Amino acid sequence: MVNKTLFKCARVMAGKTNKDVADLLGVKESTIFYKLNVSGFAMEEATKISDYLHIENMMEVFFPDYADRAASDATGKLAEGEVADGE
């Protein structure tokens, strides 16, 4: 699920609205709300929005669960709430 706080911060810092993001993707503003709250964004959409809003940490914003897992894999530590295999 999208980290809505980081998304909104990036959008506001770029001086853009959800309508601007919707126009970028060629969708209705309601679709942006749905993707933020329910379905999430596809990688291609996340990349396009990240470029548009100058987001440097795309994975943390659009795919935080994956980013947490990748970070735990890199450090060998479990992410919060993650259980080791066999436990």
Side-chain angles (χ1 to χ4, degrees):
M1 194 54 57
V2 177
N3 184 321
K4 291 180 279 193
T5 302
L6 291 179
F7 176 85
K8 183 176 181 178
C9 287
R11 183 180 52 73
V12 169
M13 296 273 298
K16 304 297 181 186
T17 64
N18 281 338
K19 175 77 169 93
D20 294 327
V21 175
D23 290 344
L24 173 74
L25 298 181
V27 299
K28 294 179 180 180
E29 189 174 0
S30 60
T31 301
I32 298 302
F33 287 109
Y34 183 80
K35 288 177 177 285
L36 284 169
N37 293 297
V38 179
S39 69
F41 291 88
M43 181 65 77
E44 183 179 328
E45 294 169 325
T47 301
K48 195 171 190 177
I49 295 168
S50 293
D51 290 344
Y52 183 63
L53 300 180
H54 311 290
I55 295 173
E56 294 180 13
N57 55 343
M58 180 182 82
M59 295 304 288
E60 290 179 37
V61 175
F62 293 98
F63 310 103
D65 295 337
Y66 180 80
D68 287 346
R69 181 159 305 182
S72 68
D73 288 348
T75 63
K77 296 179 182 176
L78 296 175
E80 185 176 331
E82 193 173 17
V83 178
D85 290 339
E87 288 187 24

